[in-house]
Amino acid sequence: MLGRVTLDQLQILIAVADYGSFSAAARRVHRVQSAVSQSIQSLEDALQLQLFDRSQKLPRLTDAGQAILSDARRVVGNTDALRARARSLSSTAETEVLLAIEQVFPNEILISSLREFHDRFPSVSVTLLGDGLGAPEESLEEGVASTAIYSPVWEGKSGIEMSFFGNIPITVVAASTHDLARLRSSISKEQLDEHVQLILADRSRRVRGVIVGSKTWSFADQFNRLDFVLSGFGWSLMPRHLARPHIESGALVELNLTMYSGRPLWFPLYVAHRVDDSPGPAGQWLIRDLRKRFDVWQCKQSKDPGDSQGIQVRVTAA
């Protein structure tokens, strides 16, 4: 009959395996060597297995010891996760953050922020909802998401607490093979009308930005639209950071439109949550960190991201 196995014994087993000897493990766990040796002997007695070959100067794991070591690491790892979750709960941190976010939000910011979030709140899980236009707002209103970052049709909606988050720079592009890309002078409204404008619209017919051309194709997904722009199907207003790699490669060309006269274009983002479901400590930290990183990123995109002469590209009802 197998005896009782303790967490302390498993931790000492791992220490001996990692540091190569009973004496080194003893220094690591702040015990005398005899206590470490006794702990391993007790574990072997409880499991009725020889875990170490002691016939040479340094102990060497047996095949059985290697197998038990893998199980020990898993048990200790699960225990550490349990303790981390308990710490989060004791500090009133929520167990999950549900974030709905616009596809235009820079992934580099999101990834770096969530990496640090995981280090600070290891037991708090995160669900990211990043569907097409209108989806973040709907997820928030339906209670699927607890926090959302998006561009609303209008501000001040009942039951939603909202604040300005930042601006996404916008550019006007077409494929380098497109007829508009061959025009060297500023492009007029009449010239644009001869070509298809690729826009974003949701199932409620809300459109991101302005419809300039008389011919439009609508897409619900930002990246699907980008593929069509790259294929030369039409021209589009596009988040600059999504278009930049293709501009630098020569696949896309930025267009100079007469109607904008070189003024910068911005797509505004807001952060929002339901009044009856405020973010907990973990969610609040995540939004603060995203704001901080976004501010730095935004400054790198332009010398003056808050230029009052710029034009905001808003979501409107078609």
Side-chain angles (χ1 to χ4, degrees):
M1 183 176 183
L2 298 181
R4 179 172 174 267
V5 174
T6 68
L7 182 63
D8 183 67
Q9 290 170 341
L10 298 180
Q11 290 171 325
I12 289 177
L13 169 64
I14 294 171
V16 174
D18 287 347
Y19 293 96
S21 70
F22 292 159
S23 59
R27 289 191 296 271
R28 180 66 180 177
V29 299
H30 306 292
R31 307 277 183 87
V32 296
Q33 182 175 338
S34 59
V36 169
S37 299
Q38 181 59 47
S39 179
I40 295 297
Q41 184 62 61
S42 297
L43 179 60
E44 290 178 324
D45 291 344
L47 297 176
Q48 298 179 14
L49 291 171
Q50 182 180 353
L51 303 179
F52 287 97
D53 179 354
R54 300 172 176 80
S55 62
Q56 300 182 27
K57 183 177 180 180
L58 295 177
R60 184 168 56 87
L61 281 167
T62 62
D63 290 342
Q66 290 284 3
I68 295 299
L69 177 63
S70 297
D71 291 337
R73 291 189 191 280
R74 183 167 57 253
V75 171
V76 171
N78 289 340
T79 302
D80 290 342
L82 177 64
R83 287 171 174 160
R85 179 174 290 275
R87 285 196 299 270
S88 294
L89 293 174
S90 66
S91 62
T92 69
E94 60 271 44
T95 58
E96 182 179 22
V97 171
L98 301 169
L99 177 63
I101 196 162
E102 284 276 8
Q103 287 183 326
V104 299
F105 196 89
N107 264 342
E108 62 189 271
I109 297 174
L110 192 57
I111 291 171
S112 59
S113 182
L114 287 175
R115 182 174 286 115
E116 185 169 344
F117 177 92
H118 178 66
D119 291 340
R120 287 175 175 264
F121 303 95
S123 65
V124 179
S125 62
V126 175
T127 297
L128 288 176
L129 306 170
D131 294 331
L133 180 64
E137 188 171 12
E138 292 176 4
S139 295
L140 183 66
E141 293 174 353
E142 295 169 0
V144 177
S146 54
T147 305
I149 299 176
Y150 62 100
S151 188
V153 177
W154 60 81
E155 301 168 40
K157 182 174 289 189
S158 177
I160 302 294
E161 185 172 323
M162 182 179 299
S163 63
F164 179 70
F165 189 89
N167 286 318
I168 296 285
I170 298 294
T171 189
V172 185
V173 294
S176 58
T177 56
H178 195 278
D179 289 343
L180 289 173
R182 301 187 180 96
L183 300 179
R184 300 302 178 187
S185 58
S186 182
I187 301 172
S188 67
K189 172 74 165 60
E190 290 71 22
Q191 289 172 308
L192 287 174
D193 280 342
E194 299 176 9
H195 304 278
V196 176
Q197 178 185 359
L198 306 184
I199 63 174
L200 288 176
D202 66 10
R203 60 189 180 188
S204 300
R205 301 203 56 180
R206 289 179 296 186
V207 176
R208 173 174 296 159
V210 292
I211 298 178
V212 178
S214 58
K215 306 172 186 176
T216 61
W217 285 13
S218 300
F219 296 80
D221 183 87
Q222 184 81 246
F223 301 103
N224 190 24
R225 180 183 62 163
L226 175 58
D227 287 340
F228 274 75
V229 175
L230 288 167
S231 298
F233 275 81
W235 65 274
S236 180
L237 279 75
M238 185 76 59
R240 184 179 294 275
H241 67 282
L242 295 183
R244 179 178 290 114
H246 306 288
I247 294 172
E248 292 175 349
S249 72
L252 292 181
V253 173
E254 291 188 274
L255 305 179
N256 180 19
L257 305 189
T258 302
M259 66 188 67
Y260 294 137
S261 302
R263 295 166 65 188
L265 302 174
W266 305 103
F267 178 66
L269 292 177
Y270 289 73
V271 59
H273 64 84
R274 294 171 59 91
V275 173
D276 59 358
D277 187 20
S278 298
Q284 292 174 25
W285 181 93
L286 179 59
I287 294 302
R288 287 196 302 271
D289 190 69
L290 287 172
R291 278 188 187 275
K292 178 182 68 177
R293 295 174 189 270
F294 187 88
D295 287 345
V296 173
W297 176 87
Q298 189 178 222
C299 288
K300 291 179 180 179
Q301 306 304 305
S302 171
K303 293 181 179 178
D304 187 10
D307 188 351
S308 61
Q309 299 302 311
I311 301 172
Q312 281 197 335
V313 177
R314 301 301 301 265
V315 176
T316 58

